[in-house]
Amino acid sequence: MKRDRGNAGIGVWKVERAAGGDVVVQEARDRQPRVMALDTFMAERAADFVDAGALIDQPFQARHLEGMIRCYMSGGRLVGFGHQLVRALAPPEAGPAPPRLYSGPDDARFQRLRSLLGREWTPQMTRLLDLEPDALPVIWDADFLLGPKAPDGEDTYVLCEINASSVFPIPDEAPDALAETMLQRLVAARDRSTAAIHQRKSKSTNSVAGANA
């Protein structure tokens, strides 16, 4: 379970059924599990519902220790990757988390994920949320964990979360693409503004001509 907003494993719990009405609870930043009644755990979470907050029931992914893949996006375009081994909910012997490693959009390890995200998942998301493609942020990211292997042996991917603020740091290859997206947005906004001015002037001219007639 996880809060609808958080970072760095804060507000993430692994909850497993135990004997009777108890559950085994492990907080992502604490490697010592606790056994408690489910009602007690939910009572502790009451503060998470203040101001219309929420808890998200997210299925546990057994391959999470193989790493999380962060896909850096600009509009609908993938501009780089970040790969980090996850240590949240890891056993004590796993040791500390190494730093996230960054790479450009052509990283051979993640091309299938790149294709799925660009051709299928991002367009599906914009349709589901009723967003125009140009309404996507200039910089945002989507984090994926590895799901179960497909029958053909291919990896599957499970969306962990989407970040649309505080996205930095980013891969070295990303800034040029971000600047290009921003320039395109500014040019499009200028063209729309110019077209609107011309349209208002045209209506004003037509109104004057009609009055004189």
Side-chain angles (χ1 to χ4, degrees), residues 98-141:
R100 180 182 291 124
L101 300 178
Y102 300 92
S103 57
D106 297 324
D107 191 323
R109 297 173 296 171
F110 308 126
Q111 291 308 295
R112 181 167 174 270
L113 177 57
R114 177 185 184 181
S115 177
L116 289 168
L117 183 59
R119 297 182 181 180
E120 298 182 28
W121 297 339
T122 300
Q124 289 171 356
M125 180 184 70
T126 56
R127 290 195 297 270
L128 180 65
L129 300 177
D130 194 24
L131 291 174
E132 293 295 330
D134 284 348
L136 292 171
V138 171
I139 178 168
W140 59 284
D141 68 55

Side-chain angles (χ1 to χ4, degrees), residues 13-108:
W13 299 268
K14 180 183 178 183
V15 183
E16 298 178 282
R17 180 177 295 177
D22 289 344
V23 290
V24 179
V25 177
Q26 183 179 357
E27 203 270 338
R29 297 164 62 90
D30 183 358
R31 296 184 179 179
Q32 300 303 318
R34 298 183 295 158
V35 179
M36 64 178 69
L38 177 59
D39 289 346
T40 301
F41 172 72
M42 293 307 299
E44 290 182 356
R45 307 277 67 76
D48 298 320
F49 294 96
V50 175
D51 298 327
L55 282 177
I56 299 168
D57 183 5
Q58 188 173 63
F60 180 72
Q61 301 302 317
R63 299 178 65 193
H64 77 292
L65 294 182
E66 295 181 46
M68 183 183 74
I69 307 164
R70 173 162 289 181
C71 298
Y72 291 91
M73 304 291 293
S74 185
R77 175 185 177 188
L78 188 141
V79 298
F81 294 100
H83 184 254
Q84 184 174 17
L85 295 180
V86 177
R87 288 297 177 264
L89 301 176
E93 60 270 18
R100 180 182 291 124
L101 300 178
Y102 300 92
S103 57
D106 297 324
D107 191 323

